Amino acid sequence: MASRSGFSSRIGFVAAAAGAAVGLGNIWRFPYETGENGGAVFLLIYLLCTVLIGFPVMLGEIAIGRSTSLNPYGAYKKIGGKRWALVGLFGVFCGVAILSFYNVVAGWAFGYFVQITFGGLLASDNFGGFFSSYIADFSDNMTYSLIFMVLTAFIVLRGVQSGIELASKILMPFLFILLFGLIIYALTLDNAMAGVNFYLLPDFSEVSFETVYSAMGQAFFSLSLGMGTLITYGSYLSKKENLVSAAGIVTAADVTVAFLAGLMIFPLVFSQNMEPTAGPGLVFVVLPAVFKSMGALGTVIGGTFFLLLSVAALTSTISLLEVPVAYVTDEHKVNRITTVIGLALLSFLVGVPSMLSQGGNEGLSEFITYGGETRAFMDMIEDLFLNVGLPLGGFLMSVFIATQWKTASLSAEIASGNSSYEGSMVQRFVNLMITFICPVVLGLIFVITVLQKFLGIQLPFL
């Protein structure tokens, strides 16, 4: 069998893995979750959850991948046999499903960049109505989402080093440059400090179990854990690399982008005396109103913001496509060109019902009722594979390490490239979290989400 390609250096891995973690979850979802859950106190709990839960799970996924040099299905099968291989296959399936609707939202972001920069989006007097009409327009959605999928496929088609690694090395610094530029501008606005205070000065009276639950879910989602992305990327990593420092840098990069996104968005929102509790519409409804109030400069700032959002989305769609590509090329020996084109087309077609379910088609927009609410097709896919699938995947991965692979094997793999790991405080922390804490926490997130979203059972402490 031909040797498997891999990253050329740790920098390449870190850039690609950070790109996988950094995405719409950091710049779109994190700010609105923060706005809805008390601001600074949510930020603080999110940071703790990322370090205590996210980092050990990330390290475990990378170690499994590097140990086996295989895709998620092949990795679980090699260590745990055919039954555990189903966990890896579930991760691959989640990746395709998440990519199908994630690409739609990425298309919205790219479309907003085009419409603000070259169109008349900011001339609207009703941004809520504009957004509703925009996402219901199938032709525009299809065009922008197709462009995004083609660009994603082009990068993945070029392979690990010439495609994913090279693109990540370019896109991640570009993303940080855009972020810092927008932050500097935002902090110069009148009343910007009110947004900074909301974001950085915690009010502990806002703490509730719901806050903690939301922060844990956000931490797990933003790191792209539970669906095999980092198992796949870990499989391309050299045995000489220090996994602890690599995982630490990736976690830090992800948290930094989320933190900076909030530091950019809340000063913008408060500068116009707008509420930060707009939910998912914060980026697509509230911010365009902010950009409009800036006059001619708003076109530049608004266009730059949605370009930033598009870049963040692209780094994630690349990783989402690479997971099933690795599975097909490893397990079924199909050449990369055929695999990438086929899976990109499949993911795009699977995403068509999601495009139509935002007002374009009544049947798909009111597709199913569960938990006491009627939901669109896209909402169902998000609930099944992202809100439920990711914590379930992380829970099963933790159980797999604790009961099948064992922490001794995990430690031995991490120690390869890090001779000081065995016997260290980090080893004891990772073993404790993976064996006892992560399964309990992720299991609870899974159970609570199923009870709330699918059965309509609201627990008294939420």
Side-chain angles (χ1 to χ4, degrees):
M1 186 176 68
S3 62
R4 207 162 179 266
S5 62
F7 293 110
S8 64
S9 65
R10 184 171 68 162
I11 293 175
F13 167 78
V14 167
V22 171
L24 294 174
N26 303 73
I27 301 174
W28 172 48
R29 179 166 162 164
F30 172 75
Y32 82 68
E33 287 276 11
T34 304
E36 288 185 322
N37 289 282
V41 71
F42 178 86
L43 170 64
L44 182 61
I45 297 170
Y46 161 76
L47 294 175
L48 289 173
C49 291
T50 301
V51 173
L52 297 178
I53 305 298
F55 172 74
V57 173
M58 175 181 287
L59 190 57
E61 287 200 11
I62 295 171
I64 289 172
R66 193 179 71 170
S67 172
T68 58
S69 296
L70 290 169
N71 64 87
Y73 171 84
Y76 278 105
K77 183 179 179 181
K78 182 176 180 179
I79 297 173
K82 291 184 178 179
R83 285 189 301 174
W84 278 105
L86 295 176
V87 176
L89 193 60
F90 174 72
V92 172
F93 193 63
C94 278
V96 173
I98 292 171
L99 176 59
S100 74
F101 80 83
Y102 196 102
N103 186 66
V104 175
V105 181
W108 297 349
F110 182 62
Y112 260 55
F113 160 68
V114 174
Q115 293 295 331
I116 287 177
T117 306
F118 306 106
L121 192 157
L122 295 186
S124 174
D125 293 321
N126 179 3
F127 290 105
F130 180 91
F131 180 61
S132 297
S133 299
Y134 177 77
I135 62 177
D137 187 329
F138 177 69
S139 61
D140 271 3
N141 270 280
M142 184 176 69
T143 300
Y144 292 125
S145 295
L146 182 60
I147 291 171
F148 217 88
M149 185 62 80
V150 169
L151 183 56
T152 300
F154 173 75
I155 293 170
V156 175
L157 192 63
R158 291 176 58 86
V160 176
Q161 290 185 18
S162 300
I164 297 170
E165 182 176 341
L166 179 61
S168 299
K169 285 179 177 179
I170 295 170
L171 291 172
M172 289 305 294
F174 183 51
L175 185 146
F176 275 101
I177 291 169
L178 292 176
L179 257 179
F180 279 117
L182 288 170
I183 289 169
I184 291 169
Y185 172 77
L187 293 177
T188 66
L189 299 174
D190 292 339
N191 207 39
M193 286 303 106
V196 174
N197 291 339
F198 171 79
Y199 187 51
L200 297 183
L201 298 180
D203 178 2
F204 290 100
S205 67
E206 296 283 343
V207 177
S208 65
F209 192 89
E210 174 70 29
T211 308
V212 177
Y213 166 70
S214 298
M216 285 192 294
Q218 174 61 30
F220 206 73
F221 168 67
S222 71
L223 289 170
S224 294
L225 302 173
M227 58 182 171
T229 299
L230 292 169
I231 292 177
T232 302
Y233 278 9
S235 73
Y236 301 137
L237 197 56
S238 164
K239 291 283 188 180
K240 297 177 181 179
E241 300 298 340
N242 185 324
L243 296 190
V244 174
S245 63
I249 294 170
V250 172
T251 303
D254 178 76
V255 167
T256 299
V257 171
F259 173 77
L260 293 176
L263 195 59
M264 167 188 61
I265 286 175
F266 291 112
L268 287 173
V269 171
F270 276 80
S271 73
Q272 302 303 315
N273 298 309
M274 293 183 175
E275 290 297 321
T277 55
L282 181 65
V283 164
F284 290 103
V285 177
V286 175
L287 285 185
V290 173
F291 299 139
K292 180 178 181 178
S293 69
M294 297 175 182
L297 186 60
T299 300
V300 177
I301 301 299
T304 303
F305 172 80
F306 282 101
L307 177 61
L308 165 69
L309 195 59
S310 299
V311 170
L314 181 60
T315 62
S316 291
T317 55
I318 290 168
S319 65
L320 285 167
L321 182 56
E322 178 62 21
V323 174
V325 166
Y327 164 71
V328 173
T329 54
D330 281 352
E331 303 299 323
H332 301 286
K333 311 306 179 203
V334 181
N335 71 73
R336 191 173 187 87
I337 294 176
T338 302
T339 301
V340 171
I341 293 173
L343 286 171
L345 181 60
L346 173 65
S347 299
F348 179 78
L349 293 176
V350 172
V352 169
S354 289
M355 291 181 212
L356 289 168
S357 71
Q358 302 304 297
N361 178 275
E362 185 177 351
L364 290 169
S365 299
E366 299 179 359
F367 183 70
I368 191 171
T369 298
Y370 56 84
E373 294 183 25
T374 299
R375 304 175 194 263
F377 179 87
M378 185 174 178
D379 296 331
M380 180 193 71
I381 296 295
E382 181 180 2
D383 284 341
L384 282 173
F385 296 102
L386 190 130
N387 295 324
V388 171
L390 296 194
L392 177 59
F395 166 76
L396 292 172
M397 191 278 292
S398 300
V399 172
F400 173 75
I401 291 177
T403 64
Q404 185 69 36
W405 199 31
K406 306 296 184 181
T407 53
S409 299
L410 171 66
S411 296
E413 180 60 38
I414 296 173
S416 176
N418 183 1
S419 58
S420 63
Y421 180 74
E422 295 278 11
S424 67
M425 287 292 293
V426 176
Q427 182 195 30
R428 288 193 283 272
F429 165 73
V430 170
N431 288 351
L432 171 67
M433 299 305 291
I434 285 287
T435 305
F436 300 106
I437 308 301
C438 290
V440 172
V441 170
L442 295 173
L444 280 174
I445 293 175
F446 168 72
V447 170
I448 291 171
T449 303
V450 170
L451 290 175
Q452 286 190 326
K453 286 192 174 292
F454 291 93
L455 301 180
I457 299 173
Q458 298 297 318
L459 300 179
F461 46 82
L462 285 174

